[in-house]
Amino acid sequence: MATRRILLKLSGEALAGEKKTGFDEETVRKVALQVKELTDDGVQVGIVIGGGNFWRGRTSENIDRVKADQIGMLATVMNCIYVSEIFRSVGMRTGILTPFACGSFTELFSKDRAVSCLSEGQVVFFAGGTGHPYFSTDTGVVLRAIEVEAEVILLAKSIDGVYDDDPSRNPLAKKYDQVSIDEVIAKNLQVVDMTASILARDNKMPMWVFGLNEENSIVNTVKGKFNGTKVTI
């Protein structure tokens, strides 16, 4: 297997299953078993989880944008603590790193600590985004991937790749097997947000987009049985 260190981005909504909020343990367990198969094969796995199963950003004009983003950061911490425990229940060692102090719940992020944990075979959860408002978990996953020198970002989404239009609204939308990051930016294809796209382009970080709900999709993607879209650099 060629790929040795990956960053996996999971959406909070995907982990909620059909409930759309909170957690669906069976969904998370299926993800855990796939990641365990990868780590058993020697792949180093870092994970970023969105917070959309709890918080979708500023929902009221009565809430300051900075405070709304802070709530979102804490939602990602809750997600990582929960998912980490499910991972441990199937036999993996995990660590949770945040860019801000969370008491004894997590450890503070540093590149050295993250790389050391990955090299020792731990699955490392990067919670809390970048630690700053106005930056999404999209930016967080690209930033962490660059910092720990991952080979690729895996974006596990609710749809099976990148399309030239929204396939839920346009049945004639075309799916890309491969698309350059320059085209993603030029056409605003929204693989990740624009800040994250430019960061990926400038630091030559490829991204593979695929459907989380497809059978064994994470393992298949890493092992080359890929059915999504490769965003090239």
Side-chain angles (χ1 to χ4, degrees), residues 14 23 27 29 56 138 163 168-169 183 187 192 204:
F23 304 111
T27 298
R29 182 176 169 82
R56 289 299 302 171
D138 285 347
Y163 288 77
S168 66
R169 294 182 306 191
E183 188 172 354
K187 295 183 178 179
V192 289
K204 302 188 184 307

mmCIF file of all heavy atoms in Angstrom, residues 14 23 27 29 56 138 163 168-169 183 187 192 204:
data_model
loop_
_atom_site.group_PDB
_atom_site.id
_atom_site.type_symbol
_atom_site.label_atom_id
_atom_site.label_comp_id
_atom_site.label_asym_id
_atom_site.label_seq_id
_atom_site.Cartn_x
_atom_site.Cartn_y
_atom_site.Cartn_z
ATOM 1 N N ALA A 14 -22.891 13.264 8.702
ATOM 2 C CA ALA A 14 -22.771 11.876 8.249
ATOM 3 C C ALA A 14 -22.721 10.924 9.437
ATOM 4 O O ALA A 14 -23.288 9.819 9.386
ATOM 5 C CB ALA A 14 -21.523 11.710 7.380
ATOM 6 N N PHE A 23 -25.468 11.530 17.514
ATOM 7 C CA PHE A 23 -24.620 10.446 17.017
ATOM 8 C C PHE A 23 -25.437 9.215 16.667
ATOM 9 O O PHE A 23 -26.444 8.923 17.308
ATOM 10 C CB PHE A 23 -23.601 10.024 18.092
ATOM 11 C CG PHE A 23 -22.735 11.133 18.592
ATOM 12 C CD1 PHE A 23 -22.874 11.609 19.888
ATOM 13 C CD2 PHE A 23 -21.769 11.701 17.780
ATOM 14 C CE1 PHE A 23 -22.064 12.620 20.368
ATOM 15 C CE2 PHE A 23 -20.959 12.717 18.243
ATOM 16 C CZ PHE A 23 -21.110 13.185 19.532
ATOM 17 N N THR A 27 -23.205 3.777 12.720
ATOM 18 C CA THR A 27 -22.493 4.472 11.640
ATOM 19 C C THR A 27 -21.046 4.727 12.036
ATOM 20 O O THR A 27 -20.109 4.485 11.262
ATOM 21 C CB THR A 27 -23.185 5.805 11.307
ATOM 22 O OG1 THR A 27 -24.509 5.547 10.846
ATOM 23 C CG2 THR A 27 -22.429 6.554 10.214
ATOM 24 N N ARG A 29 -19.310 3.168 14.300
ATOM 25 C CA ARG A 29 -18.602 1.889 14.449
ATOM 26 C C ARG A 29 -18.129 1.362 13.093
ATOM 27 O O ARG A 29 -17.023 0.826 12.968
ATOM 28 C CB ARG A 29 -19.505 0.867 15.139
ATOM 29 C CG ARG A 29 -18.839 -0.483 15.394
ATOM 30 C CD ARG A 29 -19.755 -1.422 16.157
ATOM 31 N NE ARG A 29 -19.208 -2.757 16.167
ATOM 32 C CZ ARG A 29 -18.274 -3.192 16.992
ATOM 33 N NH1 ARG A 29 -17.766 -2.370 17.881
ATOM 34 N NH2 ARG A 29 -17.829 -4.438 16.936
ATOM 35 N N ARG A 56 -24.641 24.551 13.178
ATOM 36 C CA ARG A 56 -24.398 24.897 11.783
ATOM 37 C C ARG A 56 -24.039 26.363 11.617
ATOM 38 O O ARG A 56 -24.448 27.018 10.679
ATOM 39 C CB ARG A 56 -25.631 24.575 10.939
ATOM 40 C CG ARG A 56 -25.909 23.097 10.740
ATOM 41 C CD ARG A 56 -24.783 22.371 10.033
ATOM 42 N NE ARG A 56 -24.482 22.932 8.738
ATOM 43 C CZ ARG A 56 -23.438 22.582 7.997
ATOM 44 N NH1 ARG A 56 -22.568 21.702 8.459
ATOM 45 N NH2 ARG A 56 -23.227 23.134 6.817
ATOM 46 N N ASP A 138 -13.008 22.863 7.132
ATOM 47 C CA ASP A 138 -12.330 22.647 5.843
ATOM 48 C C ASP A 138 -10.910 23.201 5.900
ATOM 49 O O ASP A 138 -9.937 22.530 5.545
ATOM 50 C CB ASP A 138 -13.084 23.351 4.703
ATOM 51 C CG ASP A 138 -14.348 22.634 4.295
ATOM 52 O OD1 ASP A 138 -14.544 21.480 4.698
ATOM 53 O OD2 ASP A 138 -15.146 23.244 3.559
ATOM 54 N N TYR A 163 -19.140 17.319 -8.530
ATOM 55 C CA TYR A 163 -19.993 17.503 -9.702
ATOM 56 C C TYR A 163 -19.910 18.950 -10.180
ATOM 57 O O TYR A 163 -19.552 19.843 -9.416
ATOM 58 C CB TYR A 163 -21.446 17.167 -9.359
ATOM 59 C CG TYR A 163 -21.718 15.690 -9.165
ATOM 60 C CD1 TYR A 163 -21.346 15.043 -7.991
ATOM 61 C CD2 TYR A 163 -22.346 14.941 -10.154
ATOM 62 C CE1 TYR A 163 -21.600 13.695 -7.805
ATOM 63 C CE2 TYR A 163 -22.615 13.594 -9.980
ATOM 64 C CZ TYR A 163 -22.227 12.980 -8.811
ATOM 65 O OH TYR A 163 -22.474 11.643 -8.639
ATOM 66 N N SER A 168 -28.381 16.935 -6.496
ATOM 67 C CA SER A 168 -29.697 16.780 -5.875
ATOM 68 C C SER A 168 -30.742 17.657 -6.546
ATOM 69 O O SER A 168 -31.939 17.385 -6.471
ATOM 70 C CB SER A 168 -29.621 17.119 -4.381
ATOM 71 O OG SER A 168 -29.315 18.487 -4.181
ATOM 72 N N ARG A 169 -30.285 18.699 -7.257
ATOM 73 C CA ARG A 169 -31.203 19.597 -7.951
ATOM 74 C C ARG A 169 -31.155 19.426 -9.463
ATOM 75 O O ARG A 169 -32.120 19.724 -10.161
ATOM 76 C CB ARG A 169 -30.884 21.053 -7.602
ATOM 77 C CG ARG A 169 -31.117 21.418 -6.153
ATOM 78 C CD ARG A 169 -30.838 22.873 -5.891
ATOM 79 N NE ARG A 169 -29.492 23.275 -6.321
ATOM 80 C CZ ARG A 169 -28.925 24.418 -6.021
ATOM 81 N NH1 ARG A 169 -29.596 25.304 -5.285
ATOM 82 N NH2 ARG A 169 -27.710 24.703 -6.446
ATOM 83 N N GLU A 183 -9.106 24.418 -11.262
ATOM 84 C CA GLU A 183 -10.465 24.431 -11.813
ATOM 85 C C GLU A 183 -11.499 24.498 -10.697
ATOM 86 O O GLU A 183 -12.532 25.171 -10.834
ATOM 87 C CB GLU A 183 -10.704 23.185 -12.679
ATOM 88 C CG GLU A 183 -12.021 23.214 -13.431
ATOM 89 C CD GLU A 183 -12.172 22.078 -14.430
ATOM 90 O OE1 GLU A 183 -11.201 21.314 -14.641
ATOM 91 O OE2 GLU A 183 -13.281 21.937 -14.995
ATOM 92 N N LYS A 187 -14.048 27.628 -10.843
ATOM 93 C CA LYS A 187 -15.478 27.366 -11.012
ATOM 94 C C LYS A 187 -16.237 27.328 -9.689
ATOM 95 O O LYS A 187 -17.441 27.062 -9.673
ATOM 96 C CB LYS A 187 -15.673 26.043 -11.761
ATOM 97 C CG LYS A 187 -15.157 26.071 -13.190
ATOM 98 C CD LYS A 187 -15.445 24.762 -13.905
ATOM 99 C CE LYS A 187 -14.983 24.805 -15.363
ATOM 100 N NZ LYS A 187 -15.242 23.517 -16.058
ATOM 101 N N VAL A 192 -14.109 22.083 -0.929
ATOM 102 C CA VAL A 192 -13.978 22.681 0.400
ATOM 103 C C VAL A 192 -14.163 24.176 0.194
ATOM 104 O O VAL A 192 -14.261 24.642 -0.937
ATOM 105 C CB VAL A 192 -12.600 22.369 1.040
ATOM 106 C CG1 VAL A 192 -12.495 20.909 1.446
ATOM 107 C CG2 VAL A 192 -11.451 22.749 0.098
ATOM 108 N N LYS A 204 0.224 22.460 -2.357
ATOM 109 C CA LYS A 204 0.241 21.231 -3.154
ATOM 110 C C LYS A 204 -0.264 20.015 -2.363
ATOM 111 O O LYS A 204 0.384 18.969 -2.298
ATOM 112 C CB LYS A 204 1.649 20.961 -3.708
ATOM 113 C CG LYS A 204 2.174 22.112 -4.568
ATOM 114 C CD LYS A 204 3.467 21.757 -5.250
ATOM 115 C CE LYS A 204 4.035 22.955 -6.029
ATOM 116 N NZ LYS A 204 3.064 23.558 -6.963
#
